[in-house]
Amino acid sequence: MTSIPELQSPQLSSPTFSVSHQKLELDIDLLTRRLKGRTEILINPHSKDLKTVRLNCRQSDIRRVTAGNKHCPNVVYEEPYSKATLRWDAGVHQHHLLRRKIEGQLKNPPEEELVINLPKSFKIEDLDPFSIVASTPLGARSSVGLNSKEDHLGEAGSARTALEQDLRYKPFPIVIDFEISQIRDGIQFVGWESEDLRYPHAYTKSFSAPGRACCLFPCIDSLAARCTWEISIKCSKTIGDALSPPRLNMVNGTGSGVNGVHKDIVSSTLDPFQSNMSAEDQALELAVICTGDLTDEVDDHAVPTKKTSIFSCTSPLSAQQLGFAIGPFEHVDLAEFRDGAEDDKLGQNAVPLHGFCLPGRTEDLRNTCLPMAKAIDFFTLEYGSYPFSNYKLCFVDDINPEIIHTGFLSICSSNLLFPADIIEPLERTSRQLIHALASQWMGVSVIPKEPTDTWVVVGIAFFMTDAFLRKLFGKNDYGFRQKQTMDRVVDLDVGRPSIYDTGAVFALDPFEAKFLELKAPLVLSILDRRFTKTGSASGLSRTISRVFMNATVGDLVNGAISTAYFAKTCERLGHAKLESFFAQWVYGAGCPRFRVAQKFNKKKNVVEMLITQIQAEPPERDLESHTFMRDVKEEVHNIYAGPLQPVFTGPMTICIHEADGSPYEHLIEIKEAVTKVDINYNTKYKRLKRSKRQKERIVTAGGVDYNPDANDDVLLYCLGDVLQSEEEIQQWRLADWTKEAEEQMSQESYEWIRMDSNFEWICRIQMTMAGYMYLSQLQQDKDVVAQYESVQFMAAQNHHPLVSTIMLRTLMDPRYFHGIRTAAAAALVKHAKEGDMDWLGLFHLEKAFQHFFCYNDSPMPRPNEFSDRAAYFIQCEIPKAIAKVRDAYGRSPIRARTFLLDKLKFNDNSDNEFSDCHYLATLIEGLSEAMASKPLLGRDTDNDFTFAENDGDDIRFQNACLEEIDRYRRADEWFPSFHNILSCTALNSTRVLSLAGIISPNPSHLIQYTRDGTADDLRLNAFSNLFEMGLFNKSHAVLRWFLYAMGTDPSPYFRNQAFHLFGKFLGTLAIGSTADKEAEQQQQQDSLIIEQESSTDARKADLARRTTVAGALAALREQVKDNDTLKQGLWTAITSPALSFAEIKQLLDLCAQMYKEESSMLLKLRYPRYWQCKKIGKGKLLFTHTQKVRTKPLPKRLLPPPPPPPPPPTLPHPPSQPLHLSIPSPMAEKADRGGAAATSISAMPPPPTPQSGRKLLFKPPKKPGLAASEASSGSGSGSGAKDDAAAAAVPATPVETQVQGEKPKLKIKLKVGSAVARLGEGR
């Protein structure tokens, strides 16, 4: 397997200088994408022998470099992007050659491109310890960058972290003037093309990856290189000024061109662009939003249409933590949402909060960022003061990732904004924005010391986020999401490295970051619970607050935190030993699984429990197309699972709900794989009744009068006690416990037992507890986690009327958290079976929807009313569940499909203040899923003889469904929904139905949505559906168009999503598609297979491709080796000027796995063209190419044998006599006709005779001497006649002719086209 360079952490060598301050001046031409800049870097030398300063710099043209006011003539710099191409006609097999050229820029950290050799006359002076420079804190805050190689002291200066080192030498400035003629990376320009109708703006891309910040200015491009900054940005004042042609230096109002018009003024292609914008839009003022405090904004006196914004940043930041945006942004003061009480409490510590968005979206900004003021106040009071002076959020288009974290500023995607009438994205968007705010504390102000310490930064930032969301959305929402996150982590953390080791490969694949974002805050949450349990009221918050305080006062060197420092701080403030905790949950991998068995010992009056911990080896799993690229990267980089831990140890809380209804908590210690525990029982047995209403019904049924005032039994308030009357039981077809079950329940000594009731473990627990105990837990435990565990247990049971009844009552009780109710609705699908169940689950779902959202005793839905969020989620979940109902043959029953169609057809949102686009998308998706479950028309189905009779009705029903789906798609084109969700869902339905054979595939319908100018989400959706339909394999044109879009689209968001789709496509080629697997399984079932040795080998290879990365890669290479369209399209994308080095590296990594390296060069030669010759006079011949092409070589034409050599001439010439050749010209021809001698020139010795064996490519003229004698005498000599005969025998066409004699030395200039060619010797 071809290896890819491993990810490297920065390697520090001896420091030779540091940077304490950097001043940056940028003049940006937004229309032409040019930049002129100057940067002044204050260098703190650590040695007098410092001779060389190395900096990172890309895509710049260095104009001038000075060090301490002395010019630096010896500057070494090679623009890296100029090397990102091969100069010949290369291809994917030469990927290694391209990688070799840019290998230095692909490293982590990248190699320094700019090497400044200090002048010999430059001297480093000692620093006066009593000077102002030595006493200022600016020097103490100096920080430095990283270098990848060891340099001899005095030979090369590499910037290093040196906060602990006092200044000993006088700092000196390095000033660099530079220009960027065409910005390729670093800044994203949106809306500046004439065909783009969005508001023009620009912003810095993510600088988190090494080598991104230096694309705009020379710097030390490292997260550890932190210093103070002064930034000035010059740009146009308004959009109209930015789009106008550049003004020239005017003298008395007259330009430098003819009639006052300059020849080089911007071309007329900009005029249509300006005409697309109204005068009002062109007058919009451009605002500059940047890291730091805005200190001044001045107009440019030289160019009145420009202004300069100056920002100051006194907090140390690295170049990767800078960012700015320029555009017609509208400002919203988000501090207006701060409560008066909070404002009074904070006083002067209240942080200014600003929001910026493009015109027309201020209301969306207010709605989206509503909780931000509360969040920043919560963080300030809970964890310490905000590390900067203000906080800004700026929303832009086409950004990738969705949020870029910089100092003072978060640059966010406009896709995060949503209006007040949209419900769905509230929780997700709020979590993202609040995390962006928390990242200002942990992620920008405090950074990881080493890559492996990334988990600390990620975990604390998300822990802070979850703490505020708990306050914002409530404890139930917090607990429900924590339980879901824990289940997901247990499923994912199989065969994976620890969170400590994952930090080193954090940027390898998006999955690594997502996994760390899931598990790291969960580990901190269980640590917080253990702190709280031991008596620390503040829990982990006190530790986090201390970390921020130490970073502020300087105890954290360079603001970098390590795992060891964090663990030590936790132990000191938590008053507990945490070595085993960090060894298991931070340095260790995996999650424990428990099996618990318990029984009540009446003799001892104890509950005996056996807790077995299972740590099995990770099972073999089949590869999947959507995770194929991640598996390949992990395999190539040798990322394997951490050491398997046999036992997880620690305290666990067991809560036993005894007969009196009181929960009794017992703390045990897990130390071994098998733990036996005897827990004392505290209550005299007295069985609980499930509810007063249920007791009343039971007693009444027995003919006994019920006295509610009699307290002979302990009664508990419980949930799920709805639909208890006899009439409701009959109408809803409810079931109840049998007498045998009632008797068994009465014999139990406790209600239920909960393991890990305080959520102190990330684990999965399997208990051998009876179902009615889980029912008691569901109805009587107020903890939402306990309720969700009960629903999970019920959902895993076989279909039964009683379970369906329990889930229905859970769904119908509005006192449950909406997450529990939606989980119960999803569980009812399992009980929607025909036969003995008689579609009971489907009946319950339909009845519940009718009860909540339809008119009384009618299936007609009422007009939508989404003011109750919980009811809205139920209204969306029930159709999802009904769409999954299937009969014995895997088809959706007609009543389910009719239900979905009716709700879609009769949907009424006229009186609703909220949008129903997500609800409609749910109905469309469910209807298409239900329709696709039906087999193809005419297909024989076993034991189904009525299917063909209903074909006509079924076709009419399908047409009605298709018309309804297409109606919403067409409506979305005129009145776009939120993010075009209806169009995207309709396209997905088209794909699902075409793959199911319900409709005929129509790729052209999808291709029209892939054109440039279509919204990115809709365009990506169309490409994704084309891929799912197999068009990437079947159509070379579609694949070519996709690869072209992936490599050339200006949007980094689109390119990133397209790259993930391309990885999924390669995964399908490597392991096979799902349709191929299903077809193979069907073929195996329907036919007799005779296995031979060859078929066995093929099956082994097929098994290897689906279970091992090596086998999948081998199959992938076999699939793509002859696909020329893929090769050409992929190489075109790699060499596209729109890609950054990070994107080029991703594609080169793919090529390294797909194609064999070939160190060869393919030369392409043009076919020769025929020449034509034209005499232009004065002894000159004009040779020009014709359009006629010769594709086959001409055969050699041999002359007939020459005659015998003639006798020597009568009058022999002397040996020294020169030979004269006559070149006829118009004047010479006139002289010949007049009898005068031809013009002659002196030449070399006599030309060779035809017998010499040389090649003669032109017809030699007659000898001048003989021609003159013949003209004067009127008769020729015998030798002259023979020479003429020999010359005439030479053909006039340029063919190879055998001649004799010495090599001619005649040199003639021939004019070929417009140029003059010189024929050398021998031609």
Side-chain angles (χ1 to χ4, degrees):
M1 179 183 298
T2 306
S3 62
I4 300 177
E6 295 184 0
L7 298 178
Q8 301 175 356
S9 60
Q11 301 295 328
L12 299 178
S13 61
S14 59
T16 57
F17 74 89
S18 61
V19 176
S20 58
H21 183 73
Q22 185 164 352
K23 183 177 180 181
L24 183 62
E25 300 175 6
L26 300 177
D27 183 359
I28 304 176
D29 190 333
L30 297 170
L31 185 61
T32 61
R33 305 188 182 187
R34 296 181 179 179
L35 184 148
K36 293 182 179 180
R38 165 179 286 195
T39 183
E40 179 180 334
I41 305 176
L42 188 60
I43 301 294
N44 297 328
H46 298 166
S47 171
K48 273 192 173 182
D49 298 328
L50 178 64
K51 301 299 181 183
T52 303
V53 175
R54 296 179 178 270
L55 301 174
N56 297 106
C57 182
R58 295 181 181 179
Q59 72 179 4
S60 297
D61 184 10
I62 305 300
R63 297 297 185 181
R64 178 179 173 84
V65 179
T66 60
N69 298 325
K70 292 187 177 181
H71 178 62
C72 299
N74 189 6
V75 176
V76 180
Y77 174 69
E78 183 179 2
E79 205 285 302
Y81 278 105
S82 62
K83 302 186 296 183
T85 183
L86 298 179
R87 300 300 182 183
W88 65 88
D89 190 9
V92 291
H93 292 283
Q94 286 76 44
H95 59 85
H96 61 294
L97 301 178
L98 180 58
R99 175 184 286 275
R100 191 179 305 164
K101 294 184 65 176
I102 59 176
E103 187 67 35
Q105 282 65 46
L106 302 182
K107 294 180 179 179
N108 186 15
E111 295 180 354
E112 296 87 350
E113 297 86 0
L114 179 60
V115 180
I116 303 173
N117 296 302
L118 301 178
K120 294 183 179 180
S121 60
F122 181 82
K123 302 297 181 182
I124 297 178
E125 304 176 359
D126 292 330
L127 179 65
D128 184 2
F130 302 101
S131 64
I132 299 178
V133 176
S135 60
T136 182
L138 187 66
R141 289 184 174 183
S142 62
S143 69
V144 292
L146 305 169
N147 195 341
S148 57
K149 39 185 176 296
E150 293 283 346
D151 298 314
H152 296 290
L153 192 62
E155 294 295 332
S158 302
R160 300 291 176 264
T161 302
L163 291 174
E164 71 282 359
Q165 181 169 344
D166 296 332
L167 294 178
R168 298 174 54 189
Y169 306 99
K170 185 176 180 180
F172 65 91
I174 290 182
V175 181
I176 305 173
D177 295 331
F178 60 94
E179 292 184 9
I180 302 178
S181 59
Q182 185 68 27
I183 298 177
R184 172 173 176 170
D185 197 7
I187 298 181
Q188 178 65 26
F189 295 88
V190 181
W192 297 98
E193 293 80 11
S194 59
E195 63 274 5
D196 196 341
L197 302 181
R198 294 176 292 181
Y199 284 102
H201 59 285
Y203 56 89
T204 53
K205 298 180 182 179
S206 175
F207 290 163
S208 59
R212 301 296 291 271
C214 62
C215 291
L216 296 182
F217 53 90
C219 62
I220 302 172
D221 199 343
S222 170
L223 187 61
R226 315 183 83 185
C227 64
T228 57
W229 294 82
E230 182 179 349
I231 305 171
S232 64
I233 299 175
K234 181 189 293 186
C235 66
S236 301
K237 290 183 178 179
T238 65
I239 293 180
D241 296 335
L243 299 178
S244 300
R247 294 190 178 184
L248 308 171
N249 294 330
M250 309 295 286
V251 179
N252 297 327
T254 305
S256 58
V258 180
N259 297 328
V261 180
H262 197 274
K263 296 181 295 182
D264 296 333
I265 209 161
V266 177
S267 63
S268 60
T269 56
L270 300 180
D271 294 339
F273 187 18
Q274 290 183 336
S275 64
N276 291 335
M277 303 190 69
S278 63
E280 182 181 358
D281 289 339
Q282 294 187 30
L284 292 175
E285 185 177 355
L286 293 177
V288 180
I289 318 299
C290 182
T291 295
D293 296 307
L294 179 62
T295 59
D296 199 3
E297 189 172 86
V298 297
D299 295 336
D300 196 324
H301 298 290
V303 184
T305 60
K306 288 194 172 186
K307 65 178 180 180
T308 301
S309 302
I310 303 174
F311 298 85
S312 175
C313 179
T314 57
S315 301
L317 294 174
S318 68
Q320 296 181 4
Q321 295 173 330
L322 302 183
F324 62 84
I326 305 173
F329 299 114
E330 295 181 351
H331 172 252
V332 175
D333 185 9
L334 298 177
E336 65 185 17
F337 300 109
R338 181 177 283 128
D339 294 337
E342 296 291 337
D343 204 0
D344 296 338
K345 185 185 297 185
L346 292 170
Q348 296 182 352
N349 293 328
V351 181
L353 196 62
H354 308 280
F356 299 90
C357 64
L358 295 173
R361 306 208 65 180
T362 53
E363 291 303 321
D364 296 349
L365 175 61
R366 286 189 174 92
N367 180 72
T368 305
C369 299
L370 182 64
M372 297 305 294
K374 292 181 178 293
I376 199 170
D377 295 342
F378 174 82
F379 290 155
T380 302
L381 295 174
E382 187 75 13
Y383 303 108
S385 60
Y386 181 66
F388 307 110
S389 59
N390 62 77
Y391 180 59
K392 295 165 281 192
L393 295 106
C394 185
F395 292 86
V396 297
D397 294 337
D398 293 348
I399 189 173
N400 182 66
E402 286 189 313
I403 298 180
I404 297 176
H405 308 290
T406 66
F408 295 79
L409 170 67
S410 293
I411 305 177
C412 311
S413 172
S414 295
N415 291 335
L416 296 177
L417 297 175
F418 62 95
D421 63 342
I422 298 296
I423 300 176
E424 288 285 340
L426 175 62
E427 288 85 357
R428 179 183 63 86
T429 302
S430 298
R431 177 178 172 85
Q432 288 180 281
L433 294 180
I434 294 169
H435 173 259
L437 174 61
S439 297
Q440 296 293 312
W441 274 270
M442 182 60 69
V444 177
S445 178
V446 179
I447 60 176
K449 186 175 182 180
E450 297 291 339
T452 51
D453 301 320
T454 304
W455 80 271
V456 181
V457 175
V458 173
I460 292 179
F462 277 100
F463 178 84
M464 295 169 60
T465 302
D466 294 335
F468 175 73
L469 291 178
R470 181 181 182 180
K471 180 181 180 182
L472 182 64
F473 295 128
K475 294 182 179 179
N476 283 342
D477 181 87
Y478 173 78
F480 184 75
R481 296 186 184 280
Q482 286 287 93
K483 172 60 177 175
Q484 287 184 322
T485 302
M486 186 193 73
D487 291 342
R488 189 177 179 189
V489 168
V490 172
D491 292 335
L492 294 178
D493 197 5
V494 177
R496 297 206 52 77
S498 65
I499 58 175
Y500 179 81
D501 296 329
T502 302
V505 293
F506 185 75
L508 179 65
D509 188 79
F511 176 81
E512 315 296 337
K514 291 179 181 178
F515 176 76
L516 199 61
E517 292 170 0
L518 287 174
K519 188 175 180 180
L522 206 57
V523 169
L524 295 182
S525 68
I526 65 175
L527 178 62
D528 174 68
R529 286 180 173 85
R530 295 193 181 185
F531 277 174
T532 305
K533 199 167 189 177
T534 56
S536 178
S538 57
L540 193 61
S541 299
R542 183 184 176 189
T543 304
I544 298 175
S545 178
R546 179 63 62 87
V547 169
F548 293 146
M549 184 182 68
N550 292 344
T552 303
V553 300
D555 288 351
L556 280 179
V557 178
N558 205 28
I561 188 172
S562 65
T563 302
Y565 176 87
F566 178 70
K568 184 178 179 181
T569 306
C570 290
E571 287 183 343
R572 185 170 65 252
L573 299 180
H575 307 289
K577 295 295 183 181
L578 300 174
E579 293 89 349
S580 61
F581 179 88
F582 277 83
Q584 293 173 159
W585 299 106
V586 177
Y587 299 105
C591 298
R593 289 169 171 81
F594 295 100
R595 290 181 181 175
V596 181
Q598 74 285 335
K599 68 177 181 178
F600 180 70
N601 191 328
K602 292 184 179 180
K603 182 180 294 187
K604 297 182 179 180
N605 199 29
V606 297
V607 179
E608 299 175 346
M609 304 190 69
L610 179 64
I611 304 173
T612 305
Q613 188 173 162
I614 303 172
Q615 301 296 331
E617 292 289 340
E620 294 290 335
R621 65 179 181 89
D622 290 345
L623 299 178
E624 298 179 358
S625 60
H626 64 278
T627 60
F628 172 72
M629 294 308 304
R630 187 245 300 178
D631 294 331
V632 171
K633 293 176 183 178
E634 293 180 350
E635 180 77 14
V636 170
H637 289 86
N638 299 322
I639 299 175
Y640 302 114
L644 190 64
Q645 300 185 64
V647 178
F648 282 81
T649 61
M652 177 179 289
T653 302
I654 300 177
C655 183
I656 300 180
H657 290 254
E658 298 186 4
D660 63 349
S662 301
Y664 292 88
E665 291 189 348
H666 306 271
L667 184 63
I668 65 172
E669 191 74 21
I670 303 296
K671 297 181 179 180
E672 298 177 354
V674 179
T675 304
K676 295 182 179 180
V677 181
D678 291 340
I679 300 177
N680 293 328
Y681 193 76
N682 301 292
T683 305
K684 183 180 178 181
Y685 173 71
K686 204 170 190 179
R687 178 65 186 169
L688 293 177
K689 295 294 182 294
R690 280 166 285 175
S691 70
K692 289 184 178 180
R693 184 175 301 176
Q694 189 174 8
K695 178 181 178 180
E696 180 181 356
R697 180 173 56 83
I698 295 174
V699 174
T700 304
V704 181
D705 293 335
Y706 172 66
N707 183 10
D709 296 330
N711 294 325
D712 55 336
D713 286 335
V714 179
L715 297 173
L716 265 190
Y717 168 83
C718 64
L719 302 173
D721 56 350
V722 296
L723 305 178
Q724 296 287 344
S725 67
E726 292 295 336
E727 182 180 1
E728 290 174 330
I729 291 176
Q730 293 179 2
Q731 289 179 354
W732 291 78
R733 296 167 52 185
L734 303 180
D736 204 347
W737 298 98
T738 61
K739 292 183 179 181
E740 291 79 6
E742 291 280 359
E743 293 178 359
Q744 185 177 359
M745 292 166 57
S746 63
Q747 300 300 322
E748 294 292 347
S749 303
Y750 50 86
E751 292 292 320
W752 72 92
I753 298 176
R754 277 197 65 197
M755 302 291 297
D756 188 28
S757 59
N758 287 343
F759 212 114
E760 302 171 69
W761 289 71
I762 306 174
C763 62
R764 178 159 294 162
I765 301 176
Q766 180 182 355
M767 294 190 63
T768 56
M769 197 165 61
Y772 48 80
M773 292 186 176
Y774 278 104
L775 173 61
S776 299
Q777 178 176 313
L778 173 63
Q779 293 181 340
Q780 299 174 19
D781 201 322
K782 296 181 181 180
D783 189 356
V784 69
V785 177
Q787 297 170 5
Y788 187 60
E789 290 175 349
S790 298
V791 173
Q792 287 180 315
F793 172 82
M794 297 291 181
Q797 304 306 308
N798 295 328
H799 55 83
H800 193 278
L802 180 59
V803 180
S804 182
T805 299
I806 295 172
M807 292 294 96
L808 173 65
R809 284 174 170 158
T810 304
L811 170 63
M812 298 299 295
D813 194 342
R815 294 171 295 178
Y816 279 109
F817 177 65
H818 66 81
I820 303 299
R821 299 175 66 190
T822 54
L828 282 171
V829 177
K830 198 169 186 179
H831 309 280
K833 302 293 183 182
E834 54 184 340
D836 56 344
M837 291 294 294
D838 193 20
W839 302 109
L840 182 60
L842 178 58
F843 172 77
H844 285 165
L845 289 170
E846 293 173 338
K847 190 75 172 175
F849 191 92
Q850 179 183 357
H851 175 80
F852 286 125
F853 312 111
C854 297
Y855 291 105
N856 294 333
D857 300 327
S858 173
M860 179 65 65
R862 295 194 301 265
N864 295 329
E865 209 283 314
F866 295 158
S867 58
D868 187 350
R869 287 179 54 84
Y872 168 77
F873 290 129
I874 299 301
Q875 189 171 352
C876 292
E877 185 63 32
I878 291 179
K880 288 182 183 178
I882 292 178
K884 293 181 172 61
V885 175
R886 299 291 183 269
D887 61 12
Y889 306 110
R891 302 174 302 184
S892 175
I894 186 63
R895 59 188 287 191
R897 287 177 281 155
T898 304
F899 172 89
L900 295 171
L901 178 61
D902 291 343
K903 301 307 175 284
L904 184 63
K905 182 184 297 185
F906 300 111
N907 178 72
D908 183 5
N909 204 62
S910 57
D911 297 331
N912 191 9
E913 62 177 335
F914 296 95
S915 171
D916 63 344
C917 59
H918 286 87
Y919 174 62
L920 289 174
T922 301
L923 292 176
I924 294 174
E925 183 179 359
L927 180 58
S928 60
E929 181 182 354
M931 292 173 60
S933 67
K934 180 181 178 299
L936 297 176
L937 293 177
R939 176 180 296 178
D940 293 333
T941 306
D942 295 339
N943 302 324
D944 185 9
F945 303 100
T946 62
F947 181 70
E949 300 177 359
N950 300 327
D951 284 354
D953 295 337
D954 204 77
I955 291 176
R956 284 190 291 270
F957 178 82
Q958 289 177 8
N959 292 335
C961 295
L962 296 175
E963 290 176 3
E964 201 64 27
I965 293 174
D966 195 60
R967 180 172 71 89
Y968 283 103
R969 182 192 62 81
R970 294 195 307 268
D972 193 52
E973 294 179 354
W974 292 97
F975 304 100
S977 58
F978 183 70
H979 292 174
N980 300 105
I981 185 174
L982 291 181
S983 295
C984 293
T985 307
L987 295 184
N988 293 338
S989 301
T990 302
R991 181 253 305 169
V992 171
L993 295 176
S994 63
L995 291 178
I998 304 299
I999 61 176
S1000 300
N1002 186 12
S1004 60
H1005 175 68
L1006 294 173
I1007 291 176
Q1008 65 178 340
Y1009 289 97
T1010 65
R1011 295 177 297 183
D1012 291 332
T1014 308
D1016 285 345
D1017 290 331
L1018 185 56
R1019 192 180 182 200
L1020 288 166
N1021 180 272
F1023 273 123
S1024 178
N1025 285 304
L1026 288 172
F1027 156 69
E1028 295 289 346
M1029 295 173 64
L1031 267 297
F1032 284 13
N1033 284 334
K1034 300 175 183 177
S1035 174
H1036 292 290
V1038 173
L1039 179 59
R1040 186 184 301 109
W1041 167 230
F1042 170 74
L1043 293 174
Y1044 175 81
M1046 183 182 71
T1048 60
D1049 194 273
S1051 170
Y1053 168 77
F1054 177 88
R1055 295 198 303 269
N1056 180 67
Q1057 298 299 319
F1059 180 78
H1060 291 317
L1061 180 59
F1062 182 63
K1064 189 176 180 181
F1065 164 65
L1066 295 180
T1068 304
L1069 293 180
I1071 65 179
S1073 63
T1074 305
D1076 297 338
K1077 297 178 183 179
E1078 294 177 353
E1080 181 181 352
Q1081 294 175 0
Q1082 184 67 27
Q1083 182 180 5
Q1084 292 178 0
Q1085 294 176 1
D1086 299 342
S1087 60
L1088 178 64
I1089 300 177
I1090 301 177
E1091 292 191 2
Q1092 299 179 357
E1093 183 177 358
S1094 58
S1095 63
T1096 304
D1097 295 339
R1099 292 185 61 186
K1100 289 182 180 179
D1102 184 71
L1103 179 63
R1105 73 181 293 195
R1106 297 182 181 180
T1107 57
T1108 64
V1109 176
L1113 287 176
L1116 177 61
R1117 298 188 191 101
E1118 186 68 23
Q1119 290 283 339
V1120 302
K1121 67 177 183 179
D1122 297 326
N1123 194 334
D1124 294 334
T1125 301
L1126 179 60
K1127 293 180 180 180
Q1128 296 172 3
L1130 186 56
W1131 188 251
T1132 301
I1134 291 174
T1135 56
S1136 170
L1139 300 189
S1140 63
F1141 274 129
E1143 294 169 317
I1144 294 175
K1145 180 181 182 299
Q1146 287 182 325
L1147 295 179
L1148 288 178
D1149 290 344
L1150 284 180
C1151 292
Q1153 304 305 318
M1154 295 165 56
Y1155 299 106
K1156 182 181 179 181
E1157 298 178 0
E1158 295 182 2
S1159 299
S1160 60
M1161 182 173 61
L1162 179 64
L1163 295 180
K1164 291 185 178 180
L1165 302 178
R1166 295 182 178 180
Y1167 283 119
R1169 297 180 181 272
Y1170 283 90
W1171 289 83
Q1172 67 179 3
C1173 179
K1174 182 179 179 182
K1175 184 168 62 176
I1176 60 176
K1178 296 184 179 180
K1180 296 181 179 179
L1181 301 176
L1182 178 63
F1183 288 83
T1184 57
H1185 270 124
T1186 64
Q1187 297 300 322
K1188 185 179 179 181
V1189 178
R1190 188 171 74 231
T1191 60
K1192 296 182 180 180
L1194 292 177
K1196 291 185 178 182
R1197 295 171 56 185
L1198 299 178
L1199 295 177
T1210 308
L1211 298 176
H1213 298 284
S1216 60
Q1217 182 178 358
L1219 173 67
H1220 296 275
L1221 296 179
S1222 175
I1223 301 179
S1225 64
M1227 298 298 296
E1229 292 178 358
K1230 292 180 181 179
D1232 291 340
R1233 289 193 297 267
T1239 304
S1240 62
I1241 58 174
S1242 178
M1244 282 75 67
T1249 60
Q1251 290 79 12
S1252 62
R1254 296 287 184 176
K1255 297 180 180 179
L1256 186 63
L1257 299 181
F1258 57 89
K1259 180 179 179 180
K1262 297 179 180 180
K1263 298 180 181 179
L1266 297 179
S1269 61
E1270 290 174 358
S1272 58
S1273 60
S1275 60
S1277 62
S1279 62
K1282 293 179 180 179
D1283 291 339
D1284 292 344
V1290 180
T1293 56
V1295 297
E1296 296 181 355
T1297 308
Q1298 301 295 329
V1299 296
Q1300 295 181 354
E1302 299 179 354
K1303 184 177 182 181
K1305 299 181 180 180
L1306 176 64
K1307 297 182 179 181
I1308 304 176
K1309 288 184 178 180
L1310 301 177
K1311 186 174 183 182
V1312 181
S1314 60
V1316 177
R1318 184 179 183 89
L1319 297 181
E1321 296 183 359
R1323 293 190 177 183

